[in-house]
Amino acid sequence: MSNSNSEINTAAKKEKRLNVRALTVTAIMSAVGVVLMALEFPIPSLIPSFIKLDFSELPALITSFAYGPLWGIAVCFLKNAIHMFFGSTYGIGEISNFILGAVFVGIAGLIYKRNKTKKGALISCLIGAAAMSVFSVASNYFVVYPLYIKVLGFTEEAIVGMYSAILPAADTLLKDLIIFNVPFTFIKGIIDSVFCFLIYKRLSPVLKTK
């Protein structure tokens, strides 16, 4: 009985240390995510300039791989909650970033949790990036762009005009999202994944130090 109690206590202490470490890393990664969000930049020749490229999902993806998908989603939430105080879109951009980031790192982290190999990591990132890019159509069409129109005074015609200025055939909002946002979002996820592959192995011993 005493040995059993000792094992239970040891397991409880180990779990507590893991949770404290995960909380600490989540806070740090959230701060890194805020900095990376601030370094966003437009690619006006490929997509309208109000859509900017950033790599702020990278720390969330690393956290998701290290501790599980919920911790990665927590990083997505915290970095956007903090960035909201510095943003210029009344939180709309942050809502969009959180929704898509949570889909990406949540799915990738869940798959990797069940298959912690290089192949599993590759598959998880590809599926996560693909899911994020496909989901971007629904989230932008039904949530984000309607908020831009209602809150910021944009018109759908003006938004479509920004896309059609790059490609005249992109003359409806749904076409715009499929032609531009899907590949843009997928490539963004792949870039985050590549950076994660490059640095995760080096960071892993630090993240999981007992």
Side-chain angles (χ1 to χ4, degrees), residues 27-57:
I28 294 171
M29 289 299 188
S30 299
V32 174
V34 173
V35 173
L36 291 176
M37 287 185 77
L39 299 177
E40 64 183 4
F41 56 93
I43 311 178
S45 59
L46 297 178
I47 199 163
S49 58
F50 70 90
I51 301 174
K52 296 179 174 63
L53 180 64
D54 69 72
F55 307 116
S56 63
E57 273 73 50

Side-chain angles (χ1 to χ4, degrees), residues 25-37 54-67 71-76 79 104-105 192 195-196 199-200 203 207:
V25 171
T26 296
I28 294 171
M29 289 299 188
S30 299
V32 174
V34 173
V35 173
L36 291 176
M37 287 185 77
D54 69 72
F55 307 116
S56 63
E57 273 73 50
L58 174 59
L61 182 61
I62 292 172
T63 306
S64 187
F65 278 6
Y67 302 113
W71 292 104
I73 292 173
V75 172
C76 290
K79 72 181 176 70
F104 175 39
V105 306
D192 284 325
F195 279 115
C196 183
I199 65 177
Y200 181 74
L203 284 178
L207 297 174

Side-chain angles (χ1 to χ4, degrees), residues 2-208:
S2 59
N3 287 337
S4 179
N5 289 336
S6 177
E7 290 175 0
I8 293 172
N9 290 334
T10 300
K13 289 179 180 179
K14 184 178 180 181
E15 182 68 22
K16 183 177 180 180
R17 287 196 299 268
L18 177 62
N19 288 338
V20 170
R21 188 162 62 249
L23 283 169
T24 303
V25 171
T26 296
I28 294 171
M29 289 299 188
S30 299
V32 174
V34 173
V35 173
L36 291 176
M37 287 185 77
L39 299 177
E40 64 183 4
F41 56 93
I43 311 178
S45 59
L46 297 178
I47 199 163
S49 58
F50 70 90
I51 301 174
K52 296 179 174 63
L53 180 64
D54 69 72
F55 307 116
S56 63
E57 273 73 50
L58 174 59
L61 182 61
I62 292 172
T63 306
S64 187
F65 278 6
Y67 302 113
L70 292 180
W71 292 104
I73 292 173
V75 172
C76 290
F77 175 79
L78 289 172
K79 72 181 176 70
N80 280 291
I82 296 170
H83 189 268
M84 193 176 295
F85 292 99
F86 308 100
S88 59
T89 60
Y90 297 92
I92 300 171
E94 288 79 12
I95 290 172
S96 177
N97 188 281
F98 169 71
I99 292 172
L100 297 182
V103 170
F104 175 39
V105 306
I107 291 176
L110 183 62
I111 295 173
Y112 181 71
K113 185 177 181 180
R114 297 180 178 181
N115 185 13
K116 294 188 176 183
T117 63
K118 287 185 178 180
K119 182 179 179 180
L122 176 62
I123 292 172
S124 69
C125 287
L126 288 173
I127 294 177
M132 175 174 65
S133 63
V134 172
F135 195 78
S136 70
V137 176
S139 67
N140 282 312
Y141 192 81
F142 292 109
V143 179
V144 178
Y145 282 17
L147 284 174
Y148 275 125
I149 293 169
K150 184 174 182 179
V151 177
L152 297 181
F154 282 52
T155 64
E156 184 171 325
E157 291 76 16
I159 294 173
V160 172
M162 294 180 194
Y163 285 98
S164 59
I166 301 172
L167 181 67
D171 55 2
T172 69
L173 184 57
L174 188 57
K175 281 185 182 178
D176 298 337
L177 295 174
I178 294 172
I179 294 172
F180 288 93
N181 289 53
V182 168
F184 174 83
T185 307
F186 181 74
I187 292 171
K188 177 182 176 181
I190 294 301
I191 294 173
D192 284 325
S193 301
V194 170
F195 279 115
C196 183
F197 268 80
L198 291 174
I199 65 177
Y200 181 74
K201 187 174 181 180
R202 297 180 181 180
L203 284 178
S204 184
V206 178
L207 297 174
K208 297 183 178 182

